[in-house]
Amino acid sequence: MYKTIENQAELAVEKIVNRIIASGKMSRKDHLLLTSSALANGEISDESRRQINRVFDYLQTSRLKLVDW
């Protein structure tokens, strides 16, 4: 059961990250959704960490804008 919850959290994080990257924008709401999904089971998995690092990479290279901050 623990694996299922972890997999669901990873899929949610991946879906949110893909949507953020596709739009080129990240809002406070996106940030809240991303962090709450990533921490759903109390810790961040390696896969979720990789997905979040994708967002950081896009921010650092100015391929992603922060909106509504």
Side-chain angles (χ1 to χ4, degrees):
M1 181 164 157
Y2 178 74
K3 280 289 189 188
T4 302
I5 293 170
E6 185 176 302
N7 290 344
Q8 288 174 348
E10 286 176 7
L11 290 174
V13 168
E14 183 176 7
K15 184 177 179 180
I16 294 165
V17 168
N18 287 338
R19 185 178 48 77
I20 290 169
I21 289 174
S23 73
K25 301 174 186 174
M26 185 168 119
S27 67
R28 285 180 188 249
K29 182 179 177 182
D30 293 328
H31 179 267
L32 181 61
L33 286 171
L34 186 58
T35 54
S36 62
S37 296
L39 297 171
N41 65 352
E43 61 182 68
I44 299 175
S45 69
D46 288 340
E47 181 58 31
S48 292
R49 186 178 311 275
R50 278 190 285 280
Q51 293 296 324
I52 292 167
N53 283 337
R54 287 178 59 205
V55 172
F56 288 138
D57 290 342
Y58 272 68
L59 283 168
Q60 290 175 337
T61 58
S62 299
R63 294 183 285 174
L64 187 63
K65 289 185 176 188
L66 297 177
V67 294
D68 300 328
W69 288 85

